[in-house]
Structure formats: structure tokens, C-alpha cells
């Protein structure tokens, strides 16, 4: 695991959604680079803070393949404004917010790193705006979502108590996750608690709108399989990461994904569940290597020319 840094390595971005909400994103700038930028999309109740270690690593000037990284807080998460209409907490609206951010920044053909729900947004993006996405990393998500894991996530999204102190928040996050992340060092649970919760006047506050739970009606019927949406990614380089202990993405689904996307790069993260934290060195290097190999061919040619000049 990589430890947290004490200096801010990103720029804050505030922008307006199409329906007027004030949304937040982070931009981790790299040295001048022609490499494909990255857009990171978080899970159901999560936010841009989840990607701090990955974004810092990918944009680090010491990284020969450094590139710009942007991480988004969906509406109702992190530092983005809550939506007064809970029905807008939907994949379609979150895709719209992500595309609005790309428009504001003048980006297209980005590499999307999507954790859980963020991976679902990436699949829909490939269907509805194929020019927006040039490569994808799906973090512990696939076309088949295991019901047991989804029930667990929805349960804590709607019923988690608000801890009164950061010490209590740390203990709560440890209790909820220790089974799925047995190798996480004790000192990292406090960092993970500050990813989950916002800080308001020195105390923890929910990092997501509690009304989000009202939009989670997926369990009213069978969970749909998303193979057509996954197939839309067949035109772009793809990587799928699975936590060894995941209860959302099964080994069987990952094997089927590899069959249906013959160029898929599959990675299993040992001793982690849903979703891998994207902060251990092997995973960071694997993502960095995948993105380097998936950069447009013209960039690789230019790189070779610079090395031989």
C-alpha cells in the first residue's frame, strides 16, 4: 500500500450541470503530455477522493508515462451539490454529468477508470457517446452483478449511521470492510474513512446524499445483465480488475468477459474485495502499463522518435 501525501497535488474544478447543479471535480495535471488523459468515475456512494493515489501516480512527473487525470464527484456525492429530485440519481444522469465535465475541459477519447457504478457509466458511455471513450479500466464490475453483493452495498447506503467523531468513523469503516480487506494496515483505515465521509467543521459528514437510497429500486425485480453494453467496449482497449474476495464480480463473469472481449487484460487483486482500493503498487503499475500500451499509436511513434533523436 502507498501512504497518503500531505500536499495538494490537484486543482479544484467547479462547474454547472445542464440542469444547474454545482458539481465538483479534481484535476491532477501532468507535465506537458500528449498521452491520453484519464477520467475516473467512482462507485455508488463514493467520490473523487477514492482515486487520489491512482491519480497522483499516473500524473507524477517522475512517471515516464505521466498523463492528466480528472476525477468526478457525481451529483449528491463528495463536494457536488445534492439534487432536490432523488429520481435524478440515475446512471443516465451521472453519464450526462461526466460528459458535461468532458465538454467543459474540452476532452474526448479519454481513458475511463470506472469503479463499480462508474464502470456501468463507462459501458453506457461507450453505447451512447463512443467518441468520448478511447480505453477503459473496469474496477470490480462487469455485465453480471452478483445479487448478494448488491444487497450489501444498498444496505449500508441507506442505513449507515453518522459517526460523531473521526475515530468513530474509522472504526465504522473498519468494521464494515475488514472481512473484504483483511490485509489493509490499521493505519490506513483512518485514510479510508476520510474518503468515505466529508469533513464539516472537523467532524465527519455523509459523503453522499441519503436520498440516494430512494433511487435504488433495482432489487424490485431481476438484475438485468449488461452484455450488450459491455460489447460496446469491444472497439477500445479494456482492462478488468477483480478483487479476489469480491461479491459483486464473480470469477465466472470475468472469464466470460475475457471470451467476449479477446483483447481484455484481466487482473485479480489478492486479499481485496469490492472494490479494489487502487493504491497498492502492483495494481498501480498494471494500470499504468495498460494505459501506456493503449495510448494512440501516433503517440508511441513520437515517443520512439524522441528516444532515438
Amino acid at each position: 500500500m502507498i501512504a497518503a501525501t500531505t500536499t495538494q497535488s490537484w486543482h479544484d474544478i467547479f462547474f454547472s450541470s445542464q440542469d444547474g447543479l454545482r458539481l465538483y471535480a479534481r484535476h491532477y495535471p501532468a507535465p506537458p503530455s500528449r498521452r491520453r488523459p484519464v477520467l475516473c468515475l467512482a462507485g455508488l456512494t463514493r467520490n473523487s477522493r477514492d482515486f487520489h493515489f491512482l491519480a497522483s501516480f499516473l500524473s507524477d512527473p517522475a512517471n515516464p508515462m505521466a498523463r492528466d487525470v480528472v476525477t468526478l464527484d457525481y451529483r449528491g456525492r463528495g463536494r457536488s451539490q445534492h439534487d432536490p429530485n432523488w429520481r435524478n440519481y440515475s446512471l443516465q444522469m451521472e453519464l450526462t454529468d461526466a460528459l458535461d465535465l468532458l465538454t467543459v475541459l474540452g476532452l474526448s477519447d479519454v481513458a475511463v477508470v470506472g469503479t463499480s457504478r462508474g464502470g456501468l457509466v463507462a459501458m453506457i458511455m461507450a453505447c451512447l457517446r463512443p467518441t468520448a471513450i478511447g480505453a477503459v479500466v473496469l474496477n470490480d464490475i462487469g455485465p453480471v452483478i452478483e445479487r448478494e453483493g448488491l444487497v450489501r452495498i444498498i444496505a449500508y447506503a441507506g442505513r449507515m449511521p453518522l459517526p460523531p467523531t473521526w475515530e468513530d468513523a474509522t472504526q465504522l469503516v473498519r468494521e464494515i470492510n475488514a472481512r473484504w480487506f483483511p490485509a489493509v494496515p490499521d493505519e490506513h483505515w483512518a485514510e479510508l474513512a476520510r474518503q468515505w465521509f466529508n469533513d464539516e467543521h472537523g467532524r465527519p459528514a455523509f459523503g453522499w446524499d441519503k436520498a440516494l437510497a430512494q433511487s435504488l429500486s433495482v432489487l424490485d425485480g431481476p438484475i438485468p445483465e449488461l452484455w450488450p453494453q459491455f460489447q460496446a467496449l469491444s472497439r477500445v482497449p479494456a482492462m478488468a480488475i477483480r478483487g479476489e474476495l469480491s461479491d459483486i464480480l464473480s470469477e465466472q463473469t470475468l472469464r466470460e468477459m475475457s471470451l467476449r472481449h479477446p483483447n481484455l487484460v484481466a487482473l485479480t487483486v489478492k486479499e481485496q474485495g469490492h472494490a479494489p482500493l487502487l493504491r497498492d503498487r502492483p495494481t498501480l503499475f498494471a494500470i499504468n502499463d495498460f494505459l501506456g500500451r493503449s495510448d494512440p499509436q501516433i503517440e508511441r511513434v513520437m515517443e520512439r522518435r524522441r528516444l532515438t533523436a
Side-chain angles (χ1 to χ4, degrees):
M1 296 287 181
I2 293 179
T5 56
T6 57
T7 58
Q8 180 166 315
S9 55
W10 68 88
H11 302 315
D12 296 324
I13 298 173
F14 290 94
F15 68 103
S16 294
S17 65
Q18 291 184 17
D19 54 351
L21 291 183
R22 189 171 188 255
L23 304 183
Y24 173 78
R26 289 180 172 187
H27 173 213
Y28 292 78
S33 171
R34 295 174 61 89
R35 293 187 177 276
R36 177 179 279 127
V38 174
L39 170 65
C40 296
L41 301 175
L44 177 66
T45 61
R46 309 300 284 271
N47 57 71
S48 59
R49 295 188 290 267
D50 277 3
F51 298 103
H52 173 66
F53 295 92
L54 175 65
S56 298
F57 182 78
L58 294 178
S59 61
D60 189 341
N63 183 348
M65 293 184 286
R67 64 191 69 233
D68 280 14
V69 181
V70 179
T71 69
L72 172 66
D73 285 355
Y74 306 124
R75 60 184 60 209
R77 281 79 147 194
R79 297 177 66 184
S80 287
Q81 185 178 352
H82 292 187
D83 196 311
N85 182 1
W86 61 263
R87 292 177 177 83
N88 287 333
Y89 292 136
S90 66
L91 288 170
Q92 180 63 52
M93 190 61 75
E94 287 151 17
L95 169 62
T96 300
D97 291 343
L99 293 175
D100 284 350
L101 175 60
L102 294 181
T103 299
V104 167
L105 298 177
L107 297 177
S108 61
D109 191 44
V110 298
V112 177
V113 177
T115 293
S116 194
R117 188 175 177 97
L120 302 180
V121 174
M123 293 184 209
I124 299 173
M125 183 184 294
C127 291
L128 301 182
R129 188 73 67 81
T131 57
I133 185 168
V136 67
V137 178
L138 301 176
N139 184 24
D140 214 61
I141 194 68
V144 179
I145 302 171
E146 298 303 313
R147 188 180 186 87
E148 178 183 352
L150 189 58
V151 169
R152 177 178 62 83
I153 292 172
I154 291 175
Y156 83 67
R159 297 196 293 269
M160 179 181 290
L162 179 62
T165 68
W166 281 111
E167 291 77 12
D168 293 319
T170 298
Q171 182 61 27
L172 178 63
V173 170
R174 180 190 287 111
E175 290 175 354
I176 291 174
N177 289 279
R179 174 184 174 187
W180 313 106
F181 296 89
V184 170
D186 286 342
E187 63 271 19
H188 287 178
W189 289 115
E191 296 172 9
L192 293 171
R194 289 184 178 271
Q195 290 177 200
W196 278 37
F197 294 97
N198 289 350
D199 187 313
E200 289 189 3
H201 310 295
R203 295 180 179 272
F206 285 116
W208 65 95
D209 185 354
K210 294 283 283 186
L212 180 65
Q214 295 178 252
S215 68
L216 303 176
S217 59
V218 67
L219 294 184
D220 293 345
I223 302 172
E225 295 189 0
L226 303 175
W227 289 111
Q229 290 79 5
F230 176 74
Q231 290 296 133
L233 295 172
S234 61
R235 53 169 286 275
V236 303
M239 180 180 192
I241 299 172
R242 178 180 181 269
E244 180 184 30
L245 306 178
S246 175
D247 58 354
I248 288 288
L249 177 61
S250 70
E251 292 181 89
Q252 179 182 352
T253 298
L254 183 58
R255 286 194 297 268
E256 184 66 20
M257 291 166 67
S258 296
L259 292 174
R260 299 200 188 198
H261 193 307
N263 297 318
L264 184 78
V265 176
L267 172 68
T268 297
V269 182
K270 300 295 184 182
E271 297 186 293
Q272 294 196 28
H274 182 79
L277 302 175
L278 307 184
R279 59 185 289 168
D280 62 282
R281 289 187 180 275
T283 301
L284 296 180
F285 277 98
I287 294 173
N288 189 59
D289 181 64
F290 165 76
L291 292 175
R293 288 184 285 108
S294 66
D295 280 333
Q297 180 65 32
I298 185 172
E299 300 302 327
R300 295 198 294 271
V301 171
M302 293 181 65
E303 182 70 15
R304 286 197 295 270
R305 288 177 178 173
R306 285 194 293 270
L307 292 175
T308 57

